[in-house]
Amino acid sequence: MTQLSDVLQQQYDAIIGEVQPFIDSDLYHQGVARINTILESIPEDDEHRLFRAALLAKRAELNLEIEDDEAAWEDAQKAMNGGWYDAAVHSIAGWAMYHMEKLDLAIGQFDKAVQEDPNRESSLMGRAMVYVDQEEYDLARTDLSHVIQKNPENANALATRAEVSVYLGAIDSARKDVERARSLDAADPDYGLLHARLLLADQEFDPAIKALDASIGDDDPLLDAILLRSHLHFMNN
């Protein structure tokens, strides 16, 4: 893992202190703009190379938040070319490549991120998502289980492991995971829809309808949930 000198670290911390209020308020574009202004004032020489790389890594993180995957990837690459290597920048690069459907590049970056920090949730989740897309379900389950072991309240990891368990034919495990996910985040419509489908597999129609009701009650209901609920009501009449 790359580190700044004590003096440069203090300067970096001060800059992040300026940017953090934008991040806390989800004003990521303003955070990017602030880092842009600061980078313009920092010389592009060997003395400041690592300092600039650290700021580029931070800008990559913000670009990922605003779903500018190309900019996030470009900044992450510049940061690494400048000598900045840590789990965060590799994870950012991995997610950018995953969103751009470049799975081989994504898995390479996630592997490096996990090597740097074996317990970083975003890296493990990202690698698991690549494994799912590659139909490497056992590998995906291993990474998701690692995340859940470290953070049993990660509802997304639980729900994703439930989906993986379905592919692996472990329906009981899938139900346990999605029920736990819904207990942590009852408002997520995807969890309700998955739960309903698992209930239907056991012909539990009324509980399935209740799960769908919760999904459709969301501000942005899922079309699949609406159609499935309509079908169940038709079957019950």
Side-chain angles (χ1 to χ4, degrees):
M1 176 177 174
T2 315
Q3 290 184 323
L4 296 171
S5 68
D6 289 343
V7 172
L8 289 178
Q9 185 64 51
Q10 289 178 1
Q11 294 178 21
Y12 177 83
D13 290 342
I15 292 169
I16 298 304
E18 295 180 30
V19 175
Q20 193 62 45
F22 297 123
I23 298 173
D24 293 340
S25 302
D26 294 336
L27 300 173
Y28 301 111
H29 286 94
Q30 287 89 328
V32 169
R34 181 60 186 143
I35 292 175
N36 290 344
T37 300
I38 293 167
L39 282 169
E40 290 173 0
S41 68
I42 300 173
E44 297 186 31
D45 54 24
D46 288 342
E47 182 181 351
H48 296 89
R49 178 176 58 86
L50 198 59
F51 187 46
R52 288 181 59 85
L55 290 172
L56 286 166
K58 190 64 179 181
R59 190 173 71 179
E61 177 187 330
L62 301 188
N63 278 321
L64 193 66
E65 289 287 351
I66 60 179
E67 300 180 2
D68 190 343
D69 297 313
E70 290 187 6
W73 169 250
E74 183 178 348
D75 277 347
Q77 287 290 98
K78 288 180 179 178
M80 289 184 279
N81 290 338
W84 189 261
Y85 299 98
D86 65 1
V89 74
H90 285 302
S91 186
I92 291 163
W95 277 109
M97 288 294 94
Y98 174 72
H99 293 153
M100 295 167 69
E101 300 182 358
K102 297 180 180 179
L103 300 185
D104 289 340
L105 289 173
I107 202 74
Q109 290 299 321
F110 286 130
D111 282 344
K112 291 176 181 178
V114 173
Q115 288 173 6
E116 290 280 353
D117 182 357
N119 296 319
R120 186 178 178 85
E121 289 185 30
S122 65
S123 307
L124 292 164
M125 284 294 301
R127 190 167 70 174
M129 296 306 295
V130 176
Y131 285 145
V132 169
D133 284 2
Q134 294 176 332
E135 299 184 5
E136 297 283 359
Y137 299 120
D138 287 313
L139 293 174
R141 183 177 175 82
T142 296
D143 276 351
L144 292 165
S145 296
H146 189 168
V147 172
I148 294 164
Q149 181 183 15
K150 293 296 179 182
N151 181 10
E153 296 189 352
N154 189 321
N156 187 31
L158 285 160
T160 305
R161 190 172 70 174
E163 293 185 54
V164 168
S165 293
V166 171
Y167 286 115
L168 294 172
I171 302 303
D172 289 343
S173 295
R175 277 191 60 167
K176 290 177 182 177
D177 277 345
V178 76
E179 286 168 3
R180 175 62 176 154
R182 292 195 70 208
S183 73
L184 294 167
D185 187 0
D188 191 297
D190 290 306
Y191 303 166
L193 180 57
L194 176 58
H195 191 200
R197 286 172 169 162
L198 290 170
L199 290 165
L200 285 175
D202 290 333
Q203 297 186 341
E204 298 182 33
F205 297 107
D206 289 339
I209 290 173
K210 289 181 180 179
L212 291 168
D213 285 340
S215 298
I216 295 168
D218 189 77
D219 291 337
D220 186 16
L222 295 175
L223 178 59
D224 286 350
I226 295 172
L227 294 174
L228 184 56
R229 187 178 67 172
S230 298
H231 176 71
L232 287 176
H233 281 302
F234 174 79
M235 293 294 291
N236 281 348
N237 291 331

